[in-house]
Amino acid sequence: MVLRHDMRRGALLMLGATACFALMGAVVKVLSARHAFLELMFFRNLFSLPIVLVAGLRTGALLRTRRLGGHAVRALSGMAGMGCAFLALSMLPLADQTALNYTQPLFIILLAIPWLGERPGPARWAAVLVGFLGVLVVAAGQGLGQGAAAGLLAGYGVAALGGFFGALSTMLVRQLSATEASTTIVLWQALLMTGMAAIALPFFWTTPGWADLALLVLMGVIGGVGQVLNTEAFASAQVSSLGPYTYTGLLWAGLLGWMIWGEAPGAAMLLGSALIVGAGFLVLRGEYRGKKPRGGEHGS
């Protein structure tokens, strides 16, 4: 199967997806002051369902599958990742949480060692070390040795754990995609995650007012649109080409954090983010080179 490569379309879709995810994160952060993160997860998945279903029907995707167990495991990892992200948003500045979310490619390298039997070369290990150094720099910039250090440390730990579960979800999607269409995976993910969140809902329920209900709908719709745009972007262009555009989420998060909460990024935040993004570019460069020779260092 030959994958089409429409760079302009892929770039525009990815820019739209990162803007949607950053805006969704801002809405989650606003709502987290009044609602538990598990309640937010339920509405995020529930109100994104119509968007995902319309996209799936447009492409002819069906829910027929022989790997329901695989979809369930994927949904569990997705719930864990989303839960960490939403909880971290209630504890950290928006840009900080977004920056730590970009540790996913680094965790993928580590997971690929036992999962796929890969042996990362020096460049890959360098990317991992540089990326996690960036995490430490971002965290240190908030004065973890002073005052409310314990709470901040917990927030950064939760955010980094979200990056791990995001990487785990990526690995599970790679396995499922061997036999399942991407839209089928997304449909099952949305349905199962909505059901899983609904089970916990009675224990964390806070009845939303009309203003919060409108924000909950907005959160779900934006998240669903971002999910569809992200999937379409990767179907339109090569992952290595879209890499730089995925990091524009940091710009959106920084802008929204400054406009809504006055969270001006400091020198440590900027330096740490640069290290994390630089590590991501090293990973993408390795993937691009690895696709040329058949038996390269990294197989995806």
Side-chain angles (χ1 to χ4, degrees):
M1 176 180 175
V2 179
L3 180 67
R4 65 171 176 165
H5 183 65
D6 185 341
M7 186 60 221
R8 182 178 179 182
R9 182 175 189 271
L12 289 173
L13 289 168
M14 183 54 67
L15 288 171
T18 55
C20 285
F21 290 141
L23 183 55
M24 184 195 75
V27 176
V28 170
K29 188 169 178 62
V30 169
L31 289 168
S32 64
R34 299 181 293 278
H35 299 273
F37 72 95
L38 282 168
E39 183 179 359
L40 298 181
M41 288 169 62
F42 169 76
F43 285 112
R44 154 65 176 91
N45 289 293
L46 177 67
F47 290 128
S48 69
L49 264 177
I51 307 297
V52 175
L53 285 170
V54 168
L57 292 173
R58 182 177 58 83
T59 58
L62 299 173
L63 289 173
R64 186 181 297 114
T65 180
R66 295 181 180 178
R67 303 182 63 181
L68 185 57
H71 287 291
V73 174
R74 162 66 184 92
L76 283 170
S77 70
M79 284 288 291
M82 184 180 292
C84 288
F86 281 24
L87 181 58
L89 282 167
S90 69
M91 305 166 75
L92 299 175
L94 180 61
D96 288 31
Q97 187 278 331
T98 303
L100 267 64
N101 188 55
Y102 289 121
T103 57
Q104 287 189 30
L106 311 179
F107 282 114
I108 288 175
I109 293 175
L110 298 178
L111 285 173
I113 297 173
W115 200 299
L116 303 176
E118 293 183 1
R119 296 182 178 180
R124 300 269 171 166
W125 284 118
V128 171
L129 292 175
V130 169
F132 287 117
L133 175 62
V135 172
L136 292 176
V137 170
V138 172
Q142 294 293 330
L144 293 183
Q146 312 167 6
L152 282 172
L153 183 60
Y156 285 106
V158 169
L161 189 61
F164 168 79
F165 281 115
L168 179 61
S169 295
T170 299
M171 301 298 288
L172 291 168
V173 167
R174 285 185 180 182
Q175 282 191 333
L176 287 168
S177 61
T179 58
E180 310 283 278
S182 60
T183 43
T184 300
I185 296 173
V186 171
L187 281 170
W188 273 111
Q189 172 192 335
L191 287 169
L192 290 172
M193 287 177 65
T194 302
M196 290 175 181
I199 294 173
L201 196 59
F203 303 99
F204 299 93
W205 176 259
T206 299
T207 302
W210 288 111
D212 278 2
L213 182 60
L215 287 175
L216 289 167
V217 174
L218 178 66
M219 174 186 66
V221 171
I222 292 174
V225 171
Q227 198 170 356
V228 172
L229 292 177
N230 189 70
T231 301
E232 288 293 321
F234 284 121
S236 301
Q238 296 169 355
V239 174
S240 55
S241 300
L242 293 176
Y245 298 96
T246 65
Y247 292 108
T248 57
L250 267 174
L251 301 177
W252 287 112
L255 178 62
L256 289 168
W258 173 69
M259 291 175 60
I260 300 173
W261 296 280
E263 298 171 347
M269 166 61 197
L270 295 174
L271 175 59
S273 297
L275 289 171
I276 294 171
V277 171
F281 276 118
L282 281 176
V283 175
L284 290 169
R285 184 183 180 192
E287 285 202 8
Y288 179 74
R289 287 184 171 182
K291 290 186 187 326
K292 290 184 177 179
R294 186 70 180 175
E297 175 188 326
H298 175 75
S300 59

